[in-house]
Each structure stands twice: as C-alpha cells, then as structure tokens.
Amino acid sequence: DADSISLELRKPDGTLVSFTADFKKKNPRAVRQAEEVRGLEHLHMDIAVNFSQGGLLSPHLRNVCAEAVDTIYTRREDVRFWLEQGVDSSVFEALPEASEQVHLSRCGQVGDGGKPCVCRYGLSLAWYPCMLKYCHSRDRPAPYKCGIRSCRKNYSFDFSVPQRQLCLWDEDP
C-alpha cells in the first residue's frame, strides 16, 4: 500500500530475502538520512528478456518496468536461478560479453541514433532499511535489538542496445 513496501532479493547463494518496510513516520516532516553509505555497485546486464514473457519471472515486472518497450535486462547469475525454477531457456537471449563490449561506445558518445552502443542506467537508493540496529546498556550485559539501521546505496547498470535511440537518457560520458 502507500505506506509500506515489500522487497524480495536473491543473494548470490540463492537465498531469498523478503522484507517489508513500513514508512509511516512518527514525525512525517523529518528528513531521513542514511546511517551507513554503501559504495557504488556496478552490474553488467548480459542477458535480454522479451518483455512480453517477463511475467514468467515475476508478476511485478509489468508495473515496475512499464516503460520498457520490448526488452528488459538481467544477469547470468539471475538466469541460473530462474532456470532452476523451471523457466524455459527460450525466454533469455545472451548479449555481448563485457569483453566484447569494449569495441562499443557508450550511448552518450554515439552520434548516430541507429548504431549499437553500451547503455548505462544509474539508480540511487537514498535511504532504505538494511539491517538490525543493536544498542548497548549498562543495565544489560549483551547488546540488544533496538531498531533498524538505514543505508544508502548506488547502482550502475550497463547493457548493450542495438540502437542509440533505445538509451536516450545516457548523456554522461
């Protein structure tokens, strides 16, 4: 609903982590600052998925990726998981490896709108609950759970597109 969000994340070992955050604030005018700043994570998206078949991966893709025309992107690690869950391999199409993309320019540097290029999309999560917070007290010998610690994280996603026109937001060199 409008006051909460549910997240499902898959760790590299295949473990599914589910979390629901309630954003009803005690002080709604307060500006939240992350207690921990986590570094930039660069992800190379090397698999294309036909958007019309994305519902096989998650029922949420239609809403989350509503602006996608015909293709969404993912990583080989994620594909392995979906294959183990029984998703047909025909849903996925391999893109050029990162080493092959060296010959492609970043989309922001390509003048011709019909040429293939490497598109970059940045995402910044300014504040999200990331772990339990533990407090210390003179009254208690061991630390105890006393809240949720908040974090900030930045992501950079690279993927190849067949034409510059499919990556018009990528203007940074």
Side-chain angles (χ1 to χ4, degrees):
D1 64 36
D3 293 328
S4 66
I5 186 170
S6 294
L7 302 171
E8 284 189 357
L9 304 170
R10 183 151 318 275
K11 291 183 172 184
D13 67 0
T15 306
L16 181 66
V17 178
S18 297
F19 180 80
T20 300
D22 185 0
F23 293 108
K24 293 178 188 167
K25 297 180 184 178
K26 292 179 185 174
N27 182 359
R29 291 182 186 88
V31 175
R32 305 292 183 205
Q33 297 291 323
E35 297 168 87
E36 180 182 333
V37 177
R38 296 184 172 183
L40 172 69
E41 187 172 347
H42 184 82
L43 300 169
H44 174 68
M45 311 305 275
D46 50 4
I47 302 289
V49 178
N50 185 319
F51 184 65
S52 65
Q53 295 179 313
L56 296 171
L57 308 180
S58 169
H60 305 291
L61 283 177
R62 282 236 177 265
N63 294 330
V64 175
C65 303
E67 294 179 25
V69 178
D70 43 298
T71 306
I72 54 177
Y73 300 89
T74 190
R75 302 174 303 154
R76 286 187 197 281
E77 301 93 89
D78 301 322
V79 170
R80 281 188 213 109
F81 165 77
W82 285 313
L83 292 174
E84 289 172 5
Q85 302 304 307
V87 175
D88 189 79
S89 63
S90 66
V91 172
F92 308 105
E93 178 187 337
L95 294 171
E97 295 285 334
S99 59
E100 296 172 33
Q101 288 186 8
V102 172
H103 304 294
L104 292 176
S105 297
R106 281 274 309 277
C107 290
Q109 300 168 340
V110 173
D112 182 354
K115 284 193 172 182
C117 55
V118 175
C119 186
R120 178 166 290 163
Y121 181 78
L123 174 68
S124 180
L125 299 174
W127 186 97
Y128 68 97
C130 57
M131 65 181 76
L132 289 174
K133 186 187 297 186
Y134 290 89
C135 295
H136 302 275
S137 169
R138 283 184 267 163
D139 302 336
R140 296 183 183 192
Y144 61 96
K145 298 175 194 170
C146 61
I148 301 290
R149 186 168 179 81
S150 61
C151 292
R152 178 173 64 204
K153 179 84 174 159
N154 293 312
Y155 295 91
S156 174
F157 301 93
D158 280 357
F159 52 95
S160 61
V161 292
Q163 338 173 350
R164 161 76 174 104
Q165 295 165 329
L166 297 173
C167 184
L168 297 175
W169 60 84
D170 191 358
E171 295 296 335
D172 297 331

